[in-house]
Amino acid sequence: MDGRKEIDSLAPLCQEKLQADPFPDGVFVFRSRRGTSIRILVYDGQGFWLAQKRLSQGRFVWWPSGREPARRLEAHQAQLLLAAGNPETAAAPVWRKVS
């Protein structure tokens, strides 16, 4: 993802490239090309929130690869990703689903 993209660019990107509606479909996480930052786009019912985390050292090394443009993460996996960890870690806690 181009790090200069803002809400008005990321919301259409969700629709065009990911075939997902950015309004009700949840939280979207984008990584910069260099892997030093991630951006989180979420719609809360009134408007969009855009948050960014830039690491002071290192990179977000884990990122989905392959032909699919998107990947679903569980809540605990997203938390690991935000901590610059690997969401596929076997020791990750399995959280109770909120209904």
Side-chain angles (χ1 to χ4, degrees):
M1 177 218 46
D2 184 346
R4 297 171 292 185
K5 289 188 184 280
E6 295 292 333
I7 292 170
D8 294 334
S9 301
L10 292 175
L13 182 69
C14 294
Q15 293 172 325
E16 296 165 9
K17 299 289 184 183
L18 305 177
Q19 287 85 39
D21 186 356
F23 293 98
D25 281 353
V27 176
F28 295 87
V29 180
F30 301 92
R31 187 186 77 162
S32 67
R33 289 182 183 146
R34 291 181 46 206
T36 57
S37 68
I38 57 174
R39 287 195 174 182
I40 302 166
L41 178 72
V42 64
Y43 185 76
D44 70 0
Q46 295 178 322
F48 283 101
W49 287 81
L50 181 61
Q52 179 175 347
K53 179 173 184 176
R54 186 178 68 201
L55 297 176
S56 56
Q57 293 181 346
R59 298 176 188 260
F60 291 96
V61 292
W62 180 89
W63 203 252
S65 61
R67 294 184 176 92
E68 60 190 44
R71 175 141 184 235
R72 284 197 181 272
L73 295 176
E74 297 292 328
H76 71 278
Q77 292 175 309
Q79 184 179 17
L80 284 170
L81 177 62
L82 291 174
N86 181 352
E88 296 175 342
T89 301
V94 178
W95 292 358
R96 175 179 60 86
K97 283 194 170 193
V98 178
S99 51

